[in-house]
Amino acid sequence: MDIEDLQTFVAVADAGGVSAAARRLGISKSIVSRRLLRVEAELGVQLLARTTRGAALTEAGITFRDHAARASAEIDTAKETILPTGELRGRLRVAMPLTFGPTHFAPVLADMARQHPQLHIHTSYSDRFVDLIAEGFDCAIRGAYLQDSNLIAKRVGPIHGKLVASPDYIKAHGSPGTLDELVTHQALMQGTEAWQFMDGDKIVTVQPQGRFKADSATALAAAAAAGLGIAWLPDCITYGYVASGALVPIMTRYPVPPGAAYVVRPPGQHPTRKVRALTEMLTEYFKRNPDVWGLDR
């Protein structure tokens, strides 16, 4: 049985349909359909029941999917084993945060593609929570790791942040000196989130209030620079604004607890060489750019 046909069946099973699998694999729907028919013909059973909404696994398909996924993973591992040292090929699907992925991490992926001409890199930039397994991603970069997740995470660097406001806002409304005073100011938020600060050795949570909200940290930084309020943002977003004086740090006696960036991947015995290579490149990127990420403090 052709390994590409087998991998295509797994993609259709996980994506829930031919169209979604075709987009994931970067091939046409007709090719996906032909590969599926070959697998079913080889086995002599129907693996998927086609519906108007996509495709649902039959009982035989459910059973065969797990075996096919394991076989595909073993073949991928075998291919990597016999490749010349350092050479990467195949496809790497990565989910990146929209907030700072295109500006900070995209150059790392471009460098990876330059170093490995046989490697196909497909990147999705979004701040939504991506289901790596269901959507067929090899890994994702996240600014926080969910402790109750079954995903495997590797820390690649710390993320620091701070409270910032524009000089005009401070001139008009003053700068809060305590956490109690902070709640009386206009906060720029992504939603109804709580802000956390270090008060000595304790972490204190504050419920900010404000009229301007956006689901993008980049947009919040622009709003803060326009004098609309106070923002609680990572240094990689505010670095340029602070360097130019458009934003200034405030309430520095109450620092923001440091976070971290992680490469997360679906559970498995070993990460692929492609994921390991990306993890190493991102780790080096953080080390080379301490000023952007607040690592020089």
Side-chain angles (χ1 to χ4, degrees):
M1 186 177 295
D2 187 274
I3 186 61
E4 282 192 337
D5 293 350
L6 204 60
Q7 291 172 331
T8 300
F9 161 69
V10 174
V12 173
D14 292 348
V18 171
S19 297
R23 289 193 297 270
R24 178 181 299 184
L25 295 172
I27 58 178
S28 68
K29 292 190 292 183
S30 61
I31 292 177
V32 173
S33 296
R34 284 199 299 271
R35 290 178 179 177
L36 282 176
L37 290 174
R38 285 199 295 264
V39 173
E40 291 180 325
E42 180 75 19
L43 295 172
V45 296
Q46 183 179 3
L47 299 175
L48 293 118
R50 282 73 168 178
T51 68
T52 55
R53 295 184 177 180
L57 291 175
T58 63
E59 185 175 350
I62 293 173
T63 301
F64 187 66
R65 185 265 168 213
D66 292 338
H67 292 287
R70 285 197 296 270
S72 297
E74 288 294 333
I75 291 295
D76 286 341
T77 301
K79 285 181 177 179
E80 285 192 340
T81 302
I82 63 175
L83 286 175
T85 302
E87 182 179 342
L88 300 176
R89 65 178 62 185
R91 181 175 55 248
L92 176 66
R93 296 191 77 237
V94 187
M96 288 272 187
L98 181 61
T99 295
F100 44 76
T103 51
H104 296 290
F105 295 152
V108 177
L109 290 173
D111 190 36
M112 188 177 188
R114 181 187 58 79
Q115 293 182 33
H116 303 282
Q118 301 300 316
L119 182 63
H120 296 252
I121 300 177
H122 298 180
T123 313
S124 174
Y125 293 97
S126 174
D127 283 334
R128 70 180 178 85
F129 183 83
V130 175
D131 188 328
L132 299 188
I133 299 174
E135 298 182 48
F137 285 97
D138 295 291
C139 65
I141 316 304
R142 290 186 178 160
Y145 172 59
L146 301 178
Q147 296 296 329
D148 59 350
S149 171
N150 66 339
L151 301 176
I152 297 173
K154 174 68 175 178
R155 185 178 183 273
V156 292
I159 297 178
H160 291 280
K162 58 172 66 78
L163 273 184
V164 292
S166 72
D168 287 343
Y169 179 88
I170 294 173
K171 183 178 180 180
H173 305 282
S175 179
T178 67
L179 297 177
D180 288 338
E181 291 178 17
L182 177 60
V183 298
T184 66
H185 283 260
Q186 282 292 320
L188 308 175
M189 302 178 291
Q190 292 196 17
T192 57
E193 72 272 16
W195 289 353
Q196 291 188 324
F197 302 92
M198 299 296 301
D199 185 3
D201 295 331
K202 299 185 301 180
I203 295 180
V204 180
T205 300
V206 173
Q207 298 290 339
Q209 303 295 321
R211 64 185 181 86
F212 187 93
K213 298 182 180 181
D215 61 358
S216 164
T218 304
L220 294 178
L228 293 182
I230 296 172
W232 187 93
L233 294 168
D235 289 352
C236 61
I237 298 296
T238 61
Y239 169 73
Y241 289 99
V242 173
S244 68
L247 292 174
V248 296
I250 62 174
M251 292 186 64
T252 54
R253 61 173 290 198
Y254 299 103
V256 171
Y262 296 88
V263 174
V264 297
R265 61 180 176 86
Q269 290 187 346
H270 302 288
T272 64
R273 281 178 54 198
K274 291 172 287 191
V275 173
R276 289 202 307 270
L278 176 59
T279 301
E280 291 168 2
M281 292 182 72
L282 285 169
T283 301
E284 287 301 314
Y285 165 76
F286 272 88
K287 292 178 180 178
R288 291 196 311 268
N289 297 274
D291 49 352
V292 175
W293 296 91
L295 311 188
D296 56 347
R297 60 188 60 186

